[in-house]
Amino acid sequence: MSSVQFNSNSFHPTDNTDTSRHTHLESLENGDVEKEQGMFATPNNKGGETTDEYTNLVKYISTYREGGRRKSTASGVYDGNDPETKKKPWWKFWGGKKATASGGDEFEVPDEWIETDIKKGITSAEVEIRRKKSGWNELTTEKENMFLKFLGYFQGPILYVMEIAVLLAAGLQDWIDFGVIIAILLLNAGVGWYQEKQAADVVASLRGDIAMKAYVIRDGGEQEIKARELVPGDIVLVEEGQVIPADAKLICDYETPEAFAEFQQMQREELDGDIAEKHVDEDGEQEEQHHGHAVVAADQSAITGESLAVDKYMGDTLYYTTGCKRGKAFAVVTASARQSFVGKTASLVQGAKDQGHFKAIMNSIGTALLVLVVAWILIAWIGGFYHHLNIATPMDSSTNLLHYVLILLIVGVPVGLPVVTTTTLAVGAAYLATEKAIVQKLTAIESLAGVDVLCSDKTGTLTANQLSIREPYVAEGQDVNWMMAVAALASSHNTKSLDPIDKVTILTLKKYPKAREILESGWKTQKYTPFDPVSKRITTEALYNGQLFTCAKGAPKAILNITNCSKETSDLFKAKAAEFARRGFRSLGVAVKEGDKDWILLGMLPMFDPPREDTAQTITEAQTLGLKVKMLTGDAIAIAKETCTMLNLGSKVYNSEKLIHSGLSGSTQHDLVERADGFAEVFPEHKYQVVEMLQERGHLTAMTGDGVNDAPSLKKSDCGIAVEGASEAAQAAADIVFLAPGLSTIVSAIKIARQIFQRMKAYIQYRIALCLHLEIYLVTSMVIINETVRVDLVVFLALFADLATIAVAYDNAHYEARPVEWQLPKIWIISVVLGVLLALGTWVIRGSMFLPNGGVIQNYGSIQEVLFLEISLTENWLIFVTRGSETWPSWQLVGAILGVDILSTLFCIFGWISGNGENPSDPADLATNLTDVPPKVGNTSIVTVVVIWIYSLAVIIVIAIVYFLLNKIAWLDNLGRKSRNAGDTQMENIIGHLSKLALEHEMDDTGKKRWHLATRANEAEVDD
């Protein structure tokens, strides 16, 4: 076996004047151009000492210090001090929404804007001029028109009905009702607007942590800016590990700026139409023509689904939000976000105006209540006909048909329902933000609360993401320092965005000073090829003393396959890899070849990422919450099994090949995915497949991800989670972005989401019961005894109900020990029972006042005020029943309800707006202590008020007992819950069999074309 023998003692640092291919312009980024030119001179600099990439790399190794938590690739806190976001005067509410200026989505970039010099860039003055025409480089504006947002709280079916009630009150000249109804609308809109704005501000302040950055050439120097500040014509620097900040045309390699002249010539030819004709292949397809060699490689999987990076050449388009996988280059921005390929696609999605599941639930509840109101109005009118009631007279009485309509519209339409539920979500999102979870859209909270399967990646979520290299295995006859140097050579040298594996490989050289000496001895990188899922290795071609060396690092099996080692060496290498895997180590093979000689196997690096201290406990807690955690990792199956064992996840871990090449299909394949505790050697397409199969079985699935390749599966899942340190593309695709590491933060967020859901569910039950309570009592009262609660008091009942529950969003709530669902049938059944019990309670107190002694009335009292107080107290206290008894209510909720109860009591005592006792009931009351007639109109004694309080408390206690018993009924508790593990086995098998078929086309001996069904070739066979 030929070998390349390098003794680390033979390497000595030498002066090197080679120019770095990956020069890092750190001082230039800070604006110190002169200092940068003196420190890192390139052929384009005017002097200064020259420093190459390997000297810089050794300096990075020597000076690196462990910081705090790892930061997002889009780090940088948004300080809110941009000139464009200056605060306006409070009175200047117009123009709050800065759209894309006059051009909007239809703006076309002039050709001359793209003719920017790569050395000078554009000036700051020119930036402002262009931005006025092209707008900000963002898909959604950060600022909204606050006035229009406020008006939005007056829109919707429920609110439209309340606005009709305003017009009706005005027509009936009930000015008290008119004013109070308007006050209710303004109260709901004002509180909702304020709470949502406060919550949005909290989220926005943390959202700056994930703001995308861009490096541009402006005013003759390199600058770091927010990506949203880019304009067409900006010269941007794109490099490995970054997300493309806008649609841009690739100019040239960063190290060959002289190629800009060639790019300009190509541009002129395009404008003149003088372009070579495209070559047409045998099938009549046009082959894409490229100019020169590949400059960078872009990961376009989020757009095209391609798992491999796509080579990009001079003049090619780099698409907004795709990732740069290799190289560093200049590019010119051709379109801002809204006019980009991704932006135009997003606008199509926005045009669909998908309201989401939450909005659909609210609409269904609102529609059902509106139908009920119409039905009750019809019944009340029929009863009114038999009582010979007029349409609108007498005007000062509530006993006429139009007043009946007004009363039932007020009590039957829960005006606060859309506002309270939305603000509950907004306040919940703000609380999640303080827990380092940024909610991208409010409806994601509902999805997170219902998740029952969490597909989690291993590194950084289940483990501590603190990779360390243990004692390496060195092949016989090889030197450990030479192996470590080769491993560092076969790594990315872009220290600003190092992959965790490359980073630990490079930093491990701190322990190997002779390996660092090797790196400093005059190497020059010729070509760097990053990891890809096909070759499963990284390779670097580098020159040393005029000799070309090819260094490789990657999966042990992939490295072993390229070498020509003896069987004995191969068997020993395989055994060592298996041993490392059993110990939970992830291994990397290292090999090198000199010139055209054979590859030499150097050894193996065992890496260990320990589980987080709290992960095992968190997984146990997740299981008690009805949450199944599945681990998806790119590690070998032995490592995955060892990790699952350490974390008590289970032992049913399978290789991802079982999903594709195992021959499984239909229900068998779905069963495998459901039963599995994890999958090993997973690639992004496997993640997507796992999510899809779980969803087909009825599971609500959350998926974690951090890379550009994870974007499709994050979008596909019910709740996409971008973990801490995720790429910008993954953050854009996710529903929730976490800024703190670990599984515990995700499980904590799920518990908070369930608490938020519980608040909304409790309020909805409460609000439906309130509507049914008054509808049942008032309509039966209208029909049976020709009596109603005065409309003036009814509007205050509605106002007090909203005032009492403003603080629901801040209430202490419990979380269910299983994934939550709306269970609308259960909500309606319980709400109907509660509404009927409340109505019976009101009828009991009303019936007692037909007795000669006045029944509930002690000394003296008013029928209208007694009913008003009893209804107000029982309705306000009902929220304490529906919220559950697992937690104590918050002081905000208790304070709001107590304040409203005091107001209701004062109304009762002093007889405010109780009327003059006109239109007595039929039959008339026999009680002699009523104050519904002069001289004491409407007053109620203190003793009577105390009795009403005690009676109302007794009613609520009875209702609470009934509510408790209802929730203990098993069939009712599960009513409306969907099966989470039921699939259509027959259909799955049919689709599975169909997936094995292909349509083949052939030509028979007579020249006729024929199509027929045939068995699809196995993908593994095709790969071979």
Side-chain angles (χ1 to χ4, degrees), residues 437-484:
I438 307 299
V439 178
Q440 306 271 55
K441 54 183 181 180
L442 289 181
T443 52
I445 295 175
E446 178 197 359
S447 301
L448 188 62
V451 160
D452 67 309
V453 177
L454 172 62
C455 297
S456 172
D457 58 348
K458 179 177 78 75
T459 305
T461 304
L462 300 179
T463 61
N465 196 35
Q466 295 173 355
L467 276 175
S468 60
I469 292 180
R470 301 303 173 95
E471 190 63 33
Y473 163 73
V474 184
E476 187 177 354
Q478 301 301 327
D479 179 67
V480 66
N481 292 290
W482 170 232
M483 183 184 75
M484 295 305 299

Side-chain angles (χ1 to χ4, degrees), residues 629-664:
V629 180
K630 295 181 184 290
M631 184 181 76
L632 305 181
T633 177
D635 290 342
I637 189 165
I639 301 171
K641 284 186 174 181
E642 178 64 22
T643 305
C644 281
T645 302
M646 293 169 68
L647 298 175
N648 298 322
L649 263 178
S651 58
K652 295 191 286 290
V653 182
Y654 305 106
N655 193 301
S656 61
E657 290 294 303
K658 273 189 171 287
L659 292 174
I660 298 177
H661 299 316
S662 64
L664 297 178

Side-chain angles (χ1 to χ4, degrees), residues 63 176 213 226 346 456 488 558 623 625 636 658 825 892 896 900 955:
T63 60
I176 293 179
K213 300 289 184 178
K226 295 182 181 70
S456 172
Q623 291 166 347
L625 295 173
K658 273 189 171 287
Q892 293 99 324
V900 169
V955 170

Side-chain angles (χ1 to χ4, degrees), residues 296-314:
V296 297
D299 188 332
Q300 299 181 165
S301 60
I303 296 176
T304 65
E306 298 175 82
S307 59
L308 294 179
V310 179
D311 285 335
K312 293 290 183 177
Y313 300 78
M314 180 183 289

